[in-house]
Amino acid sequence: MHRLVPKSIICLREGYTRQALLADLGAGVTVGIVALPLAMAFAIASGLSPERGIFTAIVAGFLISALGGSRVQIGGPTGAFVVIVYGIVQKHGYEGLALATLMAGVIIVFMGLAGFGSMIKFIPYPVTTGFTSGIALIIFSSQIKDFFGLSMESVPADFVEKWAAYGRHASSFDVRAIAVGAGSIALLVLLRRLGPRVPGPIFVVVLASLLVWLLHLPVATIGSRFGGIPRTLPSPGLPHLSYEKIRILIPEATTIALLSAIESLLSAVVADGMIGTRHRADSELVAQGVANIGSVLFGGFCATGAIARTVTNIKSGGRTPVAGMVHAVTLFLVLLLLAPLAGRIPLAVLAAILIVVAWNMSEIGRFRMLLKAPRSDIAVLLTTFALTVFADITVAVGVGMVLASLLFMRRMAEVTGISALTPESANEEDELEERRNAEAVSKLEVPPGVEVFQINGPFFFGVAHRLQDILGRLESPPKVFILRMRRVPAIDATGLQALEEFRDRCAWHGTALLLSGVQPMVLNAFRRAGFDARLGRDNICENINQALERARSLLAQPKAPS
């Protein structure tokens, strides 16, 4: 269970100095200030009240840092969840979202305990880029109403209907809201270039709020729409549990669990590259699961590792999980002392912050780069992107994974080949290895009545069918058929079945089947399935030379002179 020990305990064991504490305090306060407007903005974009984003950042942020497997990971609500959360809230309300998040937390905990941390790396890059870029476009689309100050009661969830509604209400734009939003974006971009250490989001929020208040601009604010923010965390409580609701929310809970796991581990990998450490993936997953459960208990919603805030933590000097815990405490103190002032924050400035977040998430450069990749990868990328935008992120991730898997299997099938063994087919690697067995492949003498074929690559269900047609392609069935398997690293059940059927076909033609150079892993599979006994252990030879000797004995032909 060493892999599940949190990094916070490891850092304390190594010795925690006063200098490290001061660095973590400074970084934690900085990240807490940066996280405040983002937490509220993500909650509002998800169809929730802004305080739920703060609750999530406080509770989940503290637990992720305290229990996680990364030294510098900062957790909380992120843009990746906006789409799925908004859809759940529209269908099932906050109660449904809370239950789905609770279920997702349990799933993530089990993923960590089962050692799934290392499995996340098998998700193809075009899939993650496709749905990340799709989410970015949807986040941008969801901010148009507040950014332009459009007078419309509600915004449709569907992407096409949303933009159609914007078109119908385009004439109701508010120049003052546009000025606040556009000015906020310009200032965010300027601060990023000229003062990267300045916490841009909080600086812009404070400045915009002051200007709106001093100039008495009649633009929508958190107070006018939501009635302000409470000054403390709510009492802990579980959502209503029912079998029917749990059954309905399984797809949504699974999507939340996968997104949380993927984004948190991607963030941890980015952090590792910046500070030269290695995170513990399974410990991080367990922490993410516990954090999501804890978030729901205190009125929050789903959370994960946030790449932007994690990078901010690193650049601010944070090097241990204490910085992440300080970030959560900072948010709690802000909630306790400054909540009434949050009501004055214009919604246009939060929309501007999320538009910048969406631009950063879009990964346009990487998207363009992937458009130059092989056509199969482009198909996965565009399919995942389109389904994220026009259908549902649950469908997008599922279809993207299935499509990527099918294309991978096709590529593997193309790599594996079955062909006759001839001097021309022997390459230098064959020659070097076969010399150790006393004779080079190119000098092997194959007796009349013997055919030698070889399989190059994994022998699985994608290529197993090719074996069945070999005898039919020969002019007449040979007396002995040698199948060289030195380059077969693995075999699956379909490959075993294909060999069984090929053995039966050889027997029907009166042909003896011999295997040579069987790798240990494949030989173990033969033994477990009992195939070695059915074929005859004498017919499984260590190398091609032994196989030819065995063929000569079956043909009752004397060994050829050397």
Side-chain angles (χ1 to χ4, degrees):
M1 301 299 286
H2 182 68
R3 61 189 175 86
L4 299 177
V5 177
K7 283 288 186 178
S8 57
I9 295 177
I10 294 173
C11 290
L12 291 176
R13 285 177 181 172
E14 292 175 351
Y16 192 65
T17 64
R18 181 175 178 272
Q19 184 179 0
L21 175 61
L22 292 175
D24 286 338
L25 285 173
V29 171
T30 301
V31 178
I33 293 171
V34 170
L36 178 65
L38 290 174
M40 290 188 291
F42 287 136
I44 293 170
S46 302
L48 301 167
S49 55
E51 69 269 16
R52 295 202 184 277
I54 302 177
F55 299 160
T56 304
I58 293 172
V59 178
F62 187 89
L63 291 173
I64 287 171
S65 294
L67 304 177
S70 171
R71 287 176 175 265
V72 291
Q73 182 90 283
I74 300 295
T78 68
F81 287 121
V82 168
V83 180
I84 185 67
V85 169
Y86 186 85
I88 296 173
V89 170
Q90 296 303 306
K91 291 180 183 177
H92 307 285
Y94 175 73
E95 278 291 311
L97 172 63
L99 181 55
T101 304
L102 182 68
M103 294 163 60
V106 174
I107 293 171
I108 300 169
V109 169
F110 278 112
M111 287 172 67
L113 294 175
F116 272 48
S118 60
M119 299 293 289
I120 301 298
K121 64 186 177 184
F122 293 110
I123 296 179
Y125 188 64
V127 174
T128 57
T129 302
F131 77 70
T132 301
S133 300
I135 289 169
L137 179 57
I138 293 175
I139 291 175
F140 169 77
S141 301
S142 68
Q143 300 311 302
I144 298 301
K145 174 179 179 289
D146 290 334
F147 185 86
F148 288 94
L150 301 180
S151 298
M152 49 193 301
E153 289 298 321
S154 60
V155 179
D158 182 77
F159 181 80
V160 175
E161 293 178 4
K162 184 183 277 124
W163 281 97
Y166 289 154
R168 291 193 297 270
H169 294 85
S171 60
S172 67
F173 67 88
D174 186 339
V175 175
R176 290 156 298 195
I178 296 174
V180 171
S184 298
I185 289 179
L187 190 53
L188 284 168
V189 173
L190 193 64
L191 284 173
R192 186 172 183 180
R193 290 183 178 178
L194 302 181
R197 289 188 173 274
V198 177
I202 195 68
F203 183 86
V204 170
V205 164
V206 171
L207 182 60
S209 301
L210 280 173
L211 288 174
V212 168
W213 177 60
L214 291 173
L215 299 176
H216 303 287
L217 297 179
V219 297
T221 64
I222 287 178
S224 66
R225 182 174 296 181
F226 300 102
I229 292 175
R231 302 183 64 171
T232 186
L233 289 172
S235 301
L238 284 169
H240 176 68
L241 303 176
S242 71
Y243 171 77
E244 186 62 24
K245 232 7 176 185
I246 290 174
R247 185 183 64 81
I248 292 173
L249 289 170
I250 286 176
E252 287 83 355
T254 304
T255 301
I256 291 173
L258 288 175
L259 283 179
S260 179
I262 293 168
E263 187 168 6
S264 65
L265 295 181
L266 285 176
S267 176
V269 169
V270 171
D272 287 347
M274 294 182 69
I275 63 175
T277 62
R278 291 188 64 183
H279 70 283
R280 295 186 172 189
D282 294 329
S283 176
E284 185 64 26
L285 288 183
V286 171
Q288 295 290 338
V290 172
N292 276 277
I293 295 170
S295 176
V296 168
L297 295 179
F298 288 92
F301 59 104
C302 40
T304 185
I307 294 177
R309 274 158 277 172
T310 298
V311 171
T312 301
N313 179 39
I314 294 170
K315 291 183 176 180
S316 301
R319 288 298 180 271
T320 79
V322 173
M325 291 184 270
V326 170
H327 132 271
V329 173
T330 301
L331 283 169
F332 179 72
L333 292 176
V334 170
L335 181 70
L336 192 65
L337 302 174
L338 303 176
L341 297 179
R344 299 184 181 275
I345 297 175
L347 294 177
V349 70
L350 295 181
I353 290 171
L354 283 187
I355 287 174
V356 173
V357 169
W359 173 260
N360 293 332
M361 282 184 65
S362 65
E363 298 183 317
I364 291 179
R366 295 181 181 180
F367 197 96
R368 289 174 178 170
M369 180 188 71
L370 280 173
L371 291 177
K372 300 176 182 178
R375 284 180 293 180
S376 57
D377 288 324
I378 296 174
V380 173
L381 172 71
L382 296 180
T383 300
T384 307
F385 176 80
L387 288 174
T388 300
V389 174
F390 297 107
D392 180 81
I393 194 169
T394 309
V395 176
V397 175
V399 172
M401 285 296 296
V402 170
L403 184 58
S405 300
L406 290 173
L407 291 171
F408 171 76
M409 286 184 279
R410 191 188 74 178
R411 286 173 182 167
M412 289 300 296
E414 291 171 351
V415 168
T416 302
I418 303 175
S419 59
L421 181 63
T422 64
E424 291 75 17
S425 70
N427 58 26
E428 291 183 4
E429 185 179 345
D430 287 322
E431 296 252 351
L432 289 172
E433 183 157 332
E434 293 300 335
R435 283 192 187 120
R436 296 173 191 156
N437 297 321
E439 205 168 46
V441 171
S442 58
K443 296 179 181 179
L444 290 176
E445 297 184 11
V446 180
V450 177
E451 290 287 346
V452 183
F453 275 66
Q454 62 183 353
I455 303 177
N456 294 315
F459 194 55
F460 69 117
F461 64 92
V463 295
H465 66 281
R466 298 183 190 174
L467 186 61
Q468 306 306 322
D469 302 327
I470 289 178
L471 288 179
R473 295 205 305 265
L474 300 174
E475 293 183 3
S476 60
K479 294 180 179 179
V480 179
F481 190 99
I482 299 175
L483 189 60
R484 189 169 180 248
M485 301 183 69
R486 185 173 66 83
R487 291 194 172 189
V488 179
I491 189 169
D492 68 355
T494 308
L496 279 169
Q497 181 60 31
L499 281 176
E500 290 273 13
E501 293 177 2
F502 188 71
R503 179 185 65 89
D504 293 341
R505 183 168 297 187
C506 286
W508 188 81
H509 285 286
T511 300
L513 175 62
L514 306 181
L515 305 181
S516 78
V518 180
Q519 298 292 325
M521 185 179 294
V522 177
L523 192 58
N524 287 335
F526 286 173
R527 289 168 180 163
R528 286 195 302 271
F531 177 73
D532 59 333
R534 290 190 291 276
L535 179 64
R537 292 184 176 88
D538 291 340
N539 294 330
I540 301 177
C541 307
E542 289 186 9
N543 52 61
I544 189 64
N545 293 288
Q546 289 186 8
L548 289 171
E549 288 292 336
R550 172 68 176 163
R552 291 186 183 97
S553 67
L554 291 174
L555 294 170
Q557 179 176 325
K559 179 179 178 180
S562 56

